[in-house]
């Protein structure tokens, strides 16, 4: 069955520094992968998705992620973070039935001025 | 940009009471979902709904839960007899295609507090 593991529960970084949030997946079928963001007291917003094609996927707010099949990873990156990026980030994968998405445990990104 | 709308944003209820959480999915979407997030924990799948019937449900979605699309626009989650452990953020989502392949649009959630 498909699953995702987010290796870091919290990532503190300084403003304007680069950040990488790690996600590893396991899947026995074709892989689709997502990153969602949850800003404080808000719902979940789709940041980006990998369905097929180019392994480098660009999303909203300057984020990008790279699909790496050999390492079974889909890490999220941003070259320079802002205070407004403070949020919880969830990696997600469709479950085998494709009618639902399974979320990772989340990574809380905190930005220090 | 089209949105999924959830009401109320916060509901407090006494244990044993029934609650109905309401959602208005995006108008041309065909697939609807409920997820929940207990404070500090994972986002968990509850149920998916298509063509006026449940297409999949999790083990969390037991007999106290039900979903309904009473008209062409609303999608509701009913919890018949609430328990303390039902306290959580409940998210509605919808998708045009099978959401598992393309991702969903989520609402901003209803925070349910059972006292």
């Amino acid at each position: 069955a498909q699953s995702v593991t987010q290796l870091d529960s919290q990532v503190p970084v300084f403003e304007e520094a680069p950040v990488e949030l790690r996600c590893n997946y396991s899947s026995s079928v074709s892989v689709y992968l997502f990153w969602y963001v949850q800003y404080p007291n808000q719902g979940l917003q789709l940041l980006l998705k990998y369905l097929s094609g180019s392994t480098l996927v660009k999303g909203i707010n300057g984020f990008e992620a790279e699909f790496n099949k050999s390492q079974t990873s889909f890490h999220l990156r941003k070259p320079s973070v802002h205070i407004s990026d403070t949020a919880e980030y969830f990696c997600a994968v469709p479950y085998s039935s494709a009618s639902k998405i399974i979320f990772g445990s989340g990574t809380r990104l905190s930005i220090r001025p | 940009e089209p949105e999924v709308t959830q009401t109320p944003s916060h509901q407090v209820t006494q244990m044993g009471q029934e609650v109905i959480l309401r959602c208005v999915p995006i108008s041309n979407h065909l697939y609807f979902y409920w997820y929940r997030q207990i404070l500090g924990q994972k986002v968990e799948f509850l149920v998916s709904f298509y063509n006026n019937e449940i297409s999949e449900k999790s083990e969390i979605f037991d007999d106290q839960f039900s979903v309904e699309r009473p008209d062409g626009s609303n999608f509701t989650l009913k919890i018949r007899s609430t328990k303390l452990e039902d306290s959580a953020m409940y998210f509605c989502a919808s998708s045009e295609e099978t959401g598992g392949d393309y991702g969903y649009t989520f609402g901003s959630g209803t925070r349910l507090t059972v006292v």
Side-chain angles (χ1 to χ4, degrees), chain A residues 22-84:
Chain A
R22 297 182 292 168
C23 172
N24 287 90
Y25 68 89
S26 76
S27 174
S28 57
V29 298
S30 298
V31 179
Y32 300 150
L33 289 158
F34 310 99
W35 275 99
Y36 281 83
V37 59
Q38 185 180 26
Y39 297 105
N41 301 312
Q42 293 189 30
L44 293 151
Q45 183 180 6
L46 182 65
L47 257 185
L48 50 79
K49 59 188 173 187
Y50 171 76
L51 302 179
S52 65
S54 172
T55 56
L56 184 64
V57 181
K58 292 191 184 299
I60 60 172
N61 302 338
F63 283 92
E64 63 182 31
E66 184 156 20
F67 172 68
N68 188 319
K69 190 174 181 179
S70 62
Q71 297 186 6
T72 61
S73 68
F74 190 56
H75 299 334
L76 181 71
R77 300 186 183 104
K78 187 169 182 178
S80 175
V81 296
H82 303 282
I83 293 284
S84 59

Side-chain angles (χ1 to χ4, degrees), chain B residues 15-96:
Chain B
M15 193 169 53
Q17 294 296 305
E18 175 183 285
V19 294
I20 297 176
L21 309 183
R22 292 184 165 79
C23 170
V24 178
I26 294 173
S27 61
N28 65 334
H29 285 187
L30 303 175
Y31 298 83
F32 313 111
Y33 313 86
W34 283 100
Y35 279 72
R36 79 172 185 190
Q37 184 182 30
I38 294 171
L39 187 64
Q41 296 187 26
K42 271 188 178 187
V43 179
E44 302 172 293
F45 171 78
L46 290 178
V47 65
S48 58
F49 190 88
Y50 169 71
N51 200 25
N52 279 320
E53 60 183 28
I54 291 173
S55 43
E56 188 164 355
K57 61 183 180 179
S58 72
E59 57 198 26
I60 302 168
F61 194 89
D62 60 22
D63 291 345
Q64 70 163 336
F65 290 94
S66 61
V67 289
E68 194 177 29
R69 189 157 162 79
D71 53 42
S73 59
N74 290 284
F75 179 52
T76 62
L77 174 69
K78 183 192 288 185
I79 310 175
R80 258 179 276 282
S81 177
T82 50
K83 298 180 265 195
L84 294 176
E85 54 264 37
D86 294 326
S87 295
M89 192 76 148
Y90 288 81
F91 292 106
C92 174
S94 69
S95 64
E96 191 173 357

Side-chain angles (χ1 to χ4, degrees), chain A residues 36 51 94 97-101, chain B residues 33 35 37 56 98 100-101 104:
Chain A
Y36 281 83
L51 302 179
S97 67
S99 70
K100 65 184 180 186
I101 291 175
Chain B
Y33 313 86
Y35 279 72
Q37 184 182 30
E56 188 164 355
T98 303
D101 289 350
Y104 314 140

